[in-house]
Amino acid sequence: MRRCHFIQGLSWLLCPMFSLFLFSCAGQLGPSHTRPAENLPQIGARQETLSLESPRPEIIIRLTKKAEQQIAATELEKAFTTLEQAVDIDAQDPFLWHLLAKIQLLQGNLHQAEQLARKSDLLAVHSSQLREKNKEIIARVLELQGQ
């Protein structure tokens, strides 16, 4: 019986000490686990986009070609799904957003087509040719809406 009281008394002492030890160690993360505030991405800030000189990943090239073939075959739902997969890999690629806008326009989803073309336009800072194509989609949407 006496031994049981000793163990209970010891647990009341060790438990708070162990908790204090864990709490004090929690703040001891090394510099590899923290990022200085100036290196954190800012909410609403534009992220760097790929320049024209940057090669596109092979998977993006393959998915884009597949989507273009699906668009040509009027398999618009399949093309949209293919492009969504590509956007999951590289959401900063303005051409992917342009193709999504084109599909929405072909399906008659005018508001979505306009919004996707505008997103593509924001990302296409280095491609005046793509920005021109986006403006054509937006102009077509406005024409169809009677504006």
Side-chain angles (χ1 to χ4, degrees):
M1 189 65 113
R2 190 163 204 242
R3 185 176 177 170
C4 191
H5 288 297
F6 174 74
I7 293 174
Q8 285 180 339
L10 190 59
S11 67
W12 283 101
L13 177 65
L14 289 178
C15 189
M17 288 180 67
F18 185 69
S19 298
L20 184 60
F21 172 74
L22 288 177
F23 181 73
S24 66
C25 291
Q28 302 294 327
L29 294 177
S32 64
H33 298 291
T34 61
R35 292 173 74 179
E38 63 270 6
N39 293 338
L40 291 174
Q42 299 300 310
I43 296 173
R46 280 185 64 173
Q47 301 297 316
E48 290 184 31
T49 57
L50 293 174
S51 68
L52 292 178
E53 296 81 35
S54 300
R56 293 172 81 203
E58 183 63 34
I59 185 71
I60 298 295
I61 293 169
R62 280 187 281 154
L63 288 170
T64 302
K65 285 181 181 178
K66 180 179 178 181
E68 288 175 323
Q69 291 169 351
Q70 290 168 328
I71 291 169
T74 64
E75 297 174 332
L76 301 180
E77 290 298 325
K78 288 181 181 179
F80 197 85
T81 302
T82 300
L83 289 168
E84 283 179 326
Q85 292 171 352
V87 166
D88 285 344
I89 297 167
D90 184 5
Q92 298 297 311
D93 188 324
F95 188 63
L96 300 175
W97 294 101
H98 170 77
L99 289 177
L100 287 168
K102 185 176 179 179
I103 291 169
Q104 291 298 317
L105 180 62
L106 291 170
Q107 290 179 325
N109 301 323
L110 303 181
H111 180 72
Q112 291 88 345
E114 180 183 2
Q115 294 306 310
L116 291 167
R118 289 187 189 281
K119 175 150 181 101
S120 172
D121 207 47
L122 287 172
L123 295 172
V125 293
H126 299 294
S127 177
S128 58
Q129 196 173 31
L130 184 56
R131 294 184 82 185
E132 194 59 40
K133 289 180 179 183
N134 289 326
K135 286 179 183 153
E136 290 172 10
I137 288 177
I138 294 168
R140 180 70 179 139
V141 165
L142 295 175
E143 177 187 322
L144 290 170
Q145 290 175 335
Q147 297 178 359

